[in-house]
Amino acid sequence: MATYDLVVIGTGPGGYVCAVRAAQLGMKVAVVEKNATLGGTCLNVGCMPSKALLHASEMFEEAGHSFAKMGVSVSAPKLDLPAMMNFKQQGIDGNVKGVEFLMKKNKIDVLKGTGKILGTGKVEVSADGKSQAIETKNIVIATGSDIARLKGIDIDEKRIVSSTGALSLDKVPGKLLIVGAGVIGLELGSVWHRLGAEVVVVEFLDRILPGMDGEIAKQFQRILEKQGFAFKLGAKVTAVDTSGKTLKATVEPAAGGNAETLEADVVLVCIGRVPYTEGLGLKEAGVALDARGRVQIDAHFATSVKGIYAIGDVVAGPMLAHKAEDEGVAVAEIIAGQAGHVNYDVIPGVVYTTPEVSSVGKTEEELKQAGVAYTVGKFPFTANGRSKVNQTTDGFVKILADAKTDRVLGVHIIGREAGEMIHEACVLMEFGGSAEDLARTCHAHPTRSEAVKEAALAVGKRAIHM
Ligand code: FAD
Ligand code: NAI
């Protein structure tokens, strides 16, 4: 029987990163993966394919609508969807191969099959009707998450799709109805809208992107509406009639009232994700779950059973790849006797649309609710020189700082490249920095990041270019 220091179940960003870090620390490591390819949701049907399609569709949109005004005259671009899907697949393949390489480089055994925990120190791996038992000192559960479903609405991944189906449609839907104005709805809605679909988003709440700063979400909604998105807020889809050539969705006000029928060629259901623990044998092994079906862990990622840990989407916290990765590193270090740690106050979130939305730390709503006195500094991209010359002036930077200490508590950006720009705020916040620190840091000119410096200056009411 093979024996290991650590067996990681699942090779998403949480699992494979954990395995690499553990191998770096001298452990003998194996990963177990039930999918044909490594990399989990993120690499196969999540972050990476969606970003490939966002990039390609943005280029299509730019070629059709922005080149001419810059004096670049091209004939109207034609969509070759199979080629675009091939571009996406090449990206997936490249990244998946990258993870395989990392496993080899770090001498990590890859065990293909479904992992089941038989108790402390024992994992069974089954594939093709055969199973093998392996012994290990430690187990990390990194089995990720699955799509959340709507009662009574069957996802066939052809006409009624989850994000997985929406990443592989074989033609552009005339009308795309999206259920849920969260990250997936707005990112994949952008892809198909740019490629020609009419997009309607039905959202249960009275706002889009719950959890993001309200002012940013409001402006983002206006920008998306200008692009052509239609929103039905405070509404829910209760049924989809699939009997005809066109789908007929029943949409009801969330608070109750008269239903209406919306027609669509494709319905995308993206109302969140749920932890994935199927077939892991957690109940029999005595591993406790919390009320929402997530594996329960303590501050050191330890489950209720000795020697079994859990990280990533399958535990509490934001379902983000970088959160899973950081937890993977931390738990490997803890198992090695070091002081692994994740600072949950500084985990950035990015929506990769055009413009992008990024955020780290507290929102204005959260500060109000916690009764924290704060100051706000804002700076619009309309006043940023680089954005002006590029004619990409949508959005603004917003910095929230403690009114007494000036410590930065939250940064929220809407604008092109916001996903790259957020990281100086992350570093600043990791070091407990103030708006004054940021305002006195020299920023290269002309960059969009100067808007971050100006927003920091605006906290002290001394922005220069406004
Ligand atoms: P996963 O990536 O879900 O990996 C879990 C792995 O475990 C899977 O490979 C699964 O096959 C395997 N597994 C499960 N059970 C078993 C078992 N019993 N035995 C063996 N193997 C098993 N996050 C971002 O930060 N940025 C983004 O841009 C982003 N975009 C996204 C876009 C989409 C469309 C979706 C759906 C998600 C996106 N996410 C994004 C979220 C991100 O994909 C997840 O947060 C991340 O993948 C979680 O990593 P994980 O390692 O916890 O689990
Ligand atoms: P989400 O939680 O971001 O959004 C779901 C939305 O659906 C919410 O606005 C919610 O109010 C709404 N909703 C719930 N039930 C509804 C109903 N019955 N009718 C109408 N609306 C309803 O979830 P989403 O977009 O499915 O994404 C899942 C996860 O994947 C997220 O947690 C996110 O973190 C991750 N992800 C991250 C990305 C990124 O970081 N760029 C990109 C895509 C996904």
Side-chain angles (χ1 to χ4, degrees):
M1 190 185 285
T3 60
Y4 293 95
D5 295 311
L6 171 65
V7 168
V8 183
I9 307 179
T11 62
Y16 87 75
V17 168
C18 173
V20 169
R21 184 68 189 121
Q24 284 176 346
L25 292 165
M27 288 182 235
K28 185 168 160 43
V29 185
V31 290
V32 184
E33 176 55 61
K34 69 180 174 62
N35 269 359
T37 50
L38 306 183
T41 304
C42 172
L43 271 63
N44 293 281
V45 288
C47 323
M48 305 318 290
S50 58
K51 265 77 262 180
L53 289 184
L54 278 158
H55 177 66
S57 61
E58 189 181 3
M59 294 299 107
F60 180 75
E61 166 82 16
E62 295 269 295
H65 295 101
S66 303
F67 281 12
K69 73 175 179 201
M70 293 184 277
V72 182
S73 171
V74 291
S75 49
K78 274 207 297 247
L79 176 65
D80 181 347
L81 191 56
M84 197 178 275
M85 289 296 166
N86 191 37
F87 171 78
K88 175 201 74 173
Q89 193 56 45
Q90 284 172 357
I92 295 175
D93 294 346
N95 279 309
V96 163
K97 281 207 187 87
V99 176
E100 281 167 15
F101 163 77
L102 289 175
M103 298 298 100
K104 273 204 195 94
K105 182 182 168 213
N106 289 284
K107 300 189 172 52
I108 295 162
D109 286 346
V110 175
L111 310 174
K112 287 282 174 73
T114 302
K116 182 175 175 186
I117 297 171
L118 302 178
T120 300
K122 275 206 177 67
V123 176
E124 180 188 72
V125 182
S126 310
D128 307 324
K130 287 191 206 123
S131 57
Q132 58 166 320
I134 45 177
E135 279 193 349
T136 173
K137 291 188 190 131
N138 301 282
I139 298 168
V140 168
I141 301 168
T143 50
S145 61
D146 192 11
I147 49 176
R149 287 158 205 278
L150 263 177
K151 224 172 118 202
I153 299 178
D154 288 335
I155 290 173
D156 61 14
E157 297 295 12
K158 294 246 163 345
R159 294 208 294 164
I160 303 183
V161 297
S162 71
S163 52
T164 303
L167 288 167
S168 294
L169 297 179
D170 56 10
K171 68 171 196 260
V172 180
K175 281 186 183 169
L176 174 63
L177 178 69
I178 298 177
V179 191
V183 202
I184 291 181
L186 302 183
E187 286 190 355
L188 295 183
S190 291
V191 166
W192 293 108
H193 180 258
R194 291 168 190 163
L195 300 182
E198 197 181 298
V199 172
V200 179
V201 187
V202 177
E203 164 60 45
F204 188 79
L205 301 175
D206 59 1
R207 56 163 291 174
I208 67 168
L209 285 182
M212 283 271 187
D213 187 88
E215 186 183 9
I216 294 269
K218 237 185 221 146
Q219 170 136 7
F220 188 39
Q221 184 182 334
R222 275 200 293 268
I223 292 171
L224 289 174
E225 280 168 345
K226 229 166 73 191
Q227 289 176 8
F229 271 60
F231 289 98
K232 281 198 172 293
L233 302 183
K236 57 184 179 183
V237 173
T238 51
V240 181
D241 178 356
T242 57
S243 59
K245 214 171 148 245
T246 307
L247 299 170
K248 290 193 172 65
T250 309
V251 181
E252 286 178 21
N258 291 339
E260 62 174 318
T261 304
L262 291 185
E263 295 200 343
D265 300 293
V266 173
V267 172
L268 163 60
V269 179
C270 45
I271 54 165
R273 292 180 62 85
V274 290
Y276 186 80
T277 54
E278 215 177 288
L280 259 181
L282 296 186
K283 201 165 175 210
E284 299 86 329
V287 175
L289 302 182
D290 69 14
R292 291 169 61 183
R294 303 172 294 201
V295 177
Q296 200 171 308
I297 49 166
D298 67 10
H300 305 288
F301 310 100
T303 70
S304 54
V305 177
K306 199 171 165 356
I308 304 180
Y309 303 81
I311 57 167
D313 278 13
V314 80
V315 301
M319 286 182 166
L320 295 172
H322 41 285
K323 176 258 194 188
E325 288 188 46
D326 284 8
E327 289 181 341
V329 168
V331 76
E333 291 175 348
I334 288 169
I335 292 170
Q338 298 185 353
H341 172 72
V342 176
N343 179 3
Y344 291 98
D345 290 334
V346 185
I347 295 189
V350 178
V351 189
Y352 296 88
T353 41
T354 304
E356 291 184 340
V357 180
S358 64
S359 135
V360 62
K362 302 285 184 230
T363 62
E364 223 176 319
E365 292 77 14
E366 284 171 333
L367 291 178
K368 272 190 192 131
Q369 201 181 5
V372 176
Y374 61 92
T375 42
V376 186
K378 278 192 269 188
F379 192 81
F381 286 108
T382 45
N384 169 264
R386 185 68 182 277
S387 306
K388 265 185 173 159
V389 294
N390 287 358
Q391 297 190 19
T392 50
T393 50
D394 272 345
F396 61 98
V397 180
K398 172 173 177 175
I399 296 181
L400 303 167
D402 189 291
K404 265 203 214 108
T405 64
D406 195 41
R407 184 179 175 143
V408 172
L409 303 173
V411 177
H412 309 277
I413 308 175
I414 177 167
R416 294 241 178 176
E417 291 143 50
E420 298 292 342
M421 288 162 60
I422 196 70
H423 295 103
E424 66 169 306
C426 298
V427 175
L428 180 89
M429 288 171 70
E430 272 296 339
F431 285 85
S434 63
E436 176 83 13
D437 290 329
L438 191 46
R440 292 199 181 274
T441 302
C442 187
H443 283 62
H445 176 76
T447 56
R448 292 175 63 79
S449 294
E450 285 173 288
V452 178
K453 175 183 172 154
E454 289 274 8
L457 282 165
V459 170
K461 302 200 175 3
R462 56 198 171 93
I464 300 291
H465 293 89
M466 201 172 53

